[in-house]
Amino acid sequence: MAEVVLLRHGETEWSVQRRHTGRTDIPLTPEGEEQARQASRLVGGHPFSLILSSPLRRAQHTAELAGLAPIVTDDLLVEWDYGAYEGRTTAEIRETEGAAWSIWTAHVSPGITPGEQLADVAARADEVLVRIRAALATGDVAVVAHAHLLRVLTSRWLGMPPADGALLMLGAGSVSVLGEEHGAPAISRWNLDPTVTERLT
């Protein structure tokens, strides 16, 4: 079966600081650009039937530096809209929301602009998966996007609740592969560091 290759965009200043980076369109750091170039050793030149990217520049720039072309942008692949939590770290948010707060289980407090709920992100991921599955009939598919979005998408690929994306750590610039085993959706490879991984095959 054809496979789905996931590429998380490279490092940004906010990802280094562990800030929730949703719709804020910030660029890659020099290290993030190098991560994307290293990813080209894994994915560059591969004959994908479809290459999808978030429209945000950190994702598109990663795709370009990784040698992926032609790129088709899809607005459904933008990162989670964190609302008033945008730009804040989990530690900062927990100072007001409590020590157990997590974006995966958050209930919006009074006075907080909610942004998207997990169910909203999952609905977008499900729409993207319909497009991906159609393209898999003619070959592998690449998806360049964001950590939380890709973790939700992977959960939905596996038929799991979207909140199970909390179990899937995904580093900046990492490459992962989704496929099937005995006809069931599976993770083939996960969170590969392109600076130390030679090739996917």
Side-chain angles (χ1 to χ4, degrees):
M1 176 201 162
E3 295 181 311
V4 184
V5 176
L6 308 178
L7 174 57
R8 182 190 169 189
H9 67 75
E11 176 191 279
T12 68
E13 286 189 13
W14 277 17
S15 69
V16 172
Q17 298 164 0
R18 303 186 68 80
R19 298 185 178 278
H20 286 82
T21 316
R23 307 300 171 86
T24 304
D25 204 3
I26 60 178
L28 301 177
T29 62
E31 176 63 24
E33 292 180 343
E34 181 58 24
Q35 289 170 336
R37 291 188 192 96
Q38 291 293 325
S40 70
R41 298 188 304 109
L42 279 69
V43 301
H46 186 84
F48 291 105
S49 66
L50 178 65
I51 300 169
L52 296 175
S53 173
S54 160
L56 297 179
R57 60 177 171 165
R58 60 189 183 271
Q60 289 197 63
H61 196 194
T62 295
E64 292 161 0
L65 292 174
L68 295 173
I71 301 166
V72 178
T73 59
D74 190 331
D75 290 345
L76 295 172
L77 288 172
V78 294
E79 182 61 296
W80 199 320
D81 179 355
Y82 300 117
Y85 298 133
E86 180 79 2
R88 300 172 65 190
T89 67
T90 294
E92 291 170 344
I93 296 168
R94 285 177 173 175
E95 290 178 3
T96 55
E97 301 299 320
W101 184 90
S102 165
I103 193 66
W104 299 99
T105 57
H107 297 285
V108 179
S109 297
I112 294 292
T113 304
E116 283 186 298
Q117 299 299 296
L118 178 57
D120 301 323
V121 184
R124 289 198 283 114
D126 286 343
E127 285 192 59
V128 174
L129 285 174
V130 171
R131 186 175 189 181
I132 289 172
R133 289 189 174 106
L136 287 172
T138 56
D140 295 340
V141 174
V143 180
V144 187
H146 313 273
H148 280 149
L149 186 282
L150 290 174
R151 291 162 73 179
V152 172
L153 185 145
T154 299
S155 295
R156 301 305 299 138
W157 171 266
L158 297 171
M160 296 159 52
D164 285 352
L167 306 174
L168 303 169
M169 294 179 64
L170 202 56
S174 63
V175 176
S176 302
V177 183
L178 307 179
E180 288 187 357
E181 184 175 37
H182 304 304
I187 295 174
S188 175
R189 304 166 196 83
W190 189 256
N191 200 29
L192 301 178
D193 181 345
T195 66
V196 298
T197 305
E198 289 299 322
R199 290 294 298 177
L200 291 180
T201 55

